Every structure is written in C-alpha cells, then in structure tokens.
Amino acid sequence: MPLIAVRDLYKQYATPQRVVRALSGISFVLAEGGLCAIVGPSGSGKSTLLGLLGGLDSPTSGEVHVGPFALHRMSPAQRTRFRAARVGFVFQSSNLVPVLTAAENVALPLTLLRLSARERSLKVDTLLHELGLREVAHHRPAELSGGQQQRVGIARALVTAPALVLADEPTAHLDSRTGRDVMDVLQSMHRGRSTTFIFSTHDPAVESIADERIALRDGMIMPTSRGCKNHGDTPQHLGP
Ligand code: ADP
Ligand code: MG
C-alpha cells in the first residue's frame, strides 16, 4: 500500500505582478516507510511540494493522498488536526523556541495530544537519549551547536511518532561535516521506524542516502527521478 500518492498536482501563487507556477502537474507514488529525497535547484518547487504533503497549504488543483487522507479535500481545520497527529516537520534552521530548554522544545508537539506528564517525559527522554542529547536536555538552544540544535529539531519532529517526517533542506545552514552528521542521524532514525521520511536538498552528497528520489525542475518532475512510480507528465489514475 503506498503511503503517498500525488496526482496531477498544481500550485500557483498569485502575486501583484504575476501568477507564479510553483508546481505544474506532478504525479508520483511513494511506498510506505521509504526514505525519499526531493532534489532540485532553488525555486524548483521543493518547499511547495513538502508544504502540500504536510497539509500546510492546499493545492490549486490535483490530488494529495497521505495514507487514507485526501488532503486536497480537507478544510484548513482538518489539515491542522492531520498535521498535529501524523506529520513531523524538520526545518532549515531548527526553529527552536529560544526561551525553552531542549527537552521543553521536544515536548512541544505533545501538548496537542492528551498525555499524562509521565508519558510525555518518557517519550521526550527516550528520544533525547536516542539522539545523544541527554547531557544538554536542560540547555537552551543558544547554548547548543548548530548540529545539536538540528538534532533537537529532529527529536521534536519524531516525538509524536508521526507516519510522515518532512525535512525541508535540513542541512542548508550547516557546514558540510555537520550536515553529513545530521543526515546520518536522519538515516538512523529512519532505519528503526516504519515512518516515511521525505527531505529536500540541493546537495548531491546528501541525496545519496535516499532510496527514492524525486528531481524537480521548474515545478515539474525530471526523468532522472528514481524509485517513485509514475513520475513524469502522465497523470496517474488512482482507484475508482
Ligand atoms: P524551492 O523550495 O525549491 O526553492 P519553492 O517551492 O520555495 O522552491 O518555490 C517555487 C516557486 O514558487 C519559486 O518561484 C518561488 O519564488 C515561488 N513561491 C514560493 N512560495 C511563494 C509564495 N508564498 N508567494 C509567491 N511565490 C511563491
Ligand atoms: Mg525551499
């Protein structure tokens, strides 16, 4: 069963000057539990695609299915609930709350779920341990290195045990060694879970860890994509 099916997806942004075509009719299917890279130069539509897969935004036309959820048919409130329960986001800069400790930042997404304080701290402690962050659990983001901050961001994305983890250029603001380290962490977090991971990058060194690859150029999928089925410009018809 594919986790993700995208069909003839378009996204346009109306600006005062002109209409920007960010995605121009893309279709693909990704199997559940994969590690997928979305690659392409700046402006090719990577962030737009990740935003649509995570229910941050709605498409101009086309379909986005994540498991049983048809995101293109959901209201903004339904998408918010979908995101809180099913999706973990890792951002370019880790986007941590500066006044909260590492542990408090990781715990944040859990406030939307009904858990006891004990269950919450068990989940947070387990992830901090897994990511080698136990010693800095009570430090604020400013006291952490860039790599540690990104690890906290990864822990925060995973703490709700989401079905889907989306990382938008998670190494863009890191030096290449730290970036490699963060990708190793993502890869090992993926290995132990049934979660589907999708990350975007424009770094060829980083995309090599993925088992599926969607190459975007000007909002379209390039034929050099691999692993994902039904890419290219032929719309794919899903079910009845
Ligand atoms: P990437 O992440 O690959 O750099 P984006 O998805 O951010 O690409 O952008 C794709 C295109 O859509 C670019 O031309 C960008 O300028 C445009 N775009 C993205 N977001 C907006 C927006 N909110 N309003 C207008 N244009 C946008
Ligand atoms: Mg982007």
Side-chain angles (χ1 to χ4, degrees):
M1 231 270 281
L3 174 70
I4 290 172
V6 162
R7 180 178 157 197
D8 210 16
L9 189 64
Y10 285 80
K11 179 67 184 180
Q12 301 178 351
Y13 298 104
T15 69
Q17 295 78 30
R18 63 193 185 100
V19 173
V20 179
R21 294 163 187 272
L23 293 175
S24 297
I26 68 172
S27 303
F28 62 85
V29 174
L30 292 176
E32 189 168 354
L35 178 60
C36 176
I38 298 175
V39 302
S42 177
S44 57
K46 303 183 297 297
S47 297
T48 299
L49 178 56
L50 286 172
L52 293 174
L53 292 174
L56 286 169
D57 204 352
S58 59
T60 304
S61 66
E63 299 182 5
V64 182
H65 301 265
V66 176
F69 302 95
L71 300 193
H72 53 285
R73 287 202 210 106
M74 286 184 173
S75 67
Q78 288 172 320
R79 280 192 273 114
T80 301
R81 280 198 296 278
F82 161 81
R83 276 201 310 276
R86 312 283 167 160
V87 189
F89 290 95
V90 180
F91 302 94
Q92 240 173 65
S93 350
S94 50
N95 272 6
L96 302 176
V97 181
V99 296
L100 299 182
T101 65
E104 288 164 346
N105 268 284
V106 174
L108 266 186
L110 296 176
T111 53
L112 297 168
L113 310 178
R114 284 195 200 89
L115 293 174
S116 69
R118 228 191 110 168
E119 287 171 307
R120 252 200 322 263
S121 73
L122 184 65
K123 285 179 193 292
V124 171
D125 291 348
T126 305
L127 269 171
L128 288 175
H129 178 66
E130 203 179 343
L131 286 156
L133 292 167
R134 246 196 341 203
E135 289 72 38
V136 296
H138 303 297
H139 293 217
R140 300 236 162 88
E143 301 166 305
L144 306 177
S145 69
Q148 284 173 325
Q149 289 181 25
Q150 207 46 309
R151 280 171 187 251
V152 175
I154 292 170
R156 180 185 54 186
L158 288 169
V159 75
T160 57
L164 181 61
V165 169
L166 301 174
D168 195 2
E169 303 205 45
T171 65
H173 295 327
L174 303 172
D175 62 74
S176 57
R177 206 168 134 226
T178 312
R180 184 69 229 180
D181 175 57
V182 164
M183 290 318 289
D184 286 346
V185 169
L186 264 190
Q187 203 176 8
S188 72
M189 292 294 113
H190 173 256
R191 211 174 286 130
R193 291 176 167 77
S194 54
T195 309
T196 303
F197 278 53
I198 304 177
F199 64 93
S200 69
T201 184
H202 56 250
D203 181 354
V206 158
E207 66 173 89
S208 62
I209 70 161
D211 40 50
E212 297 169 296
R213 178 178 185 276
I214 295 172
L216 287 180
R217 183 70 55 92
D218 298 329
M220 287 182 277
I221 294 188
M222 306 287 290
T224 50
S225 303
R226 73 173 143 76
C228 51
K229 290 183 217 123
N230 261 306
H231 50 76
D233 50 14
T234 320
Q236 195 236 343
H237 297 280
L238 296 164

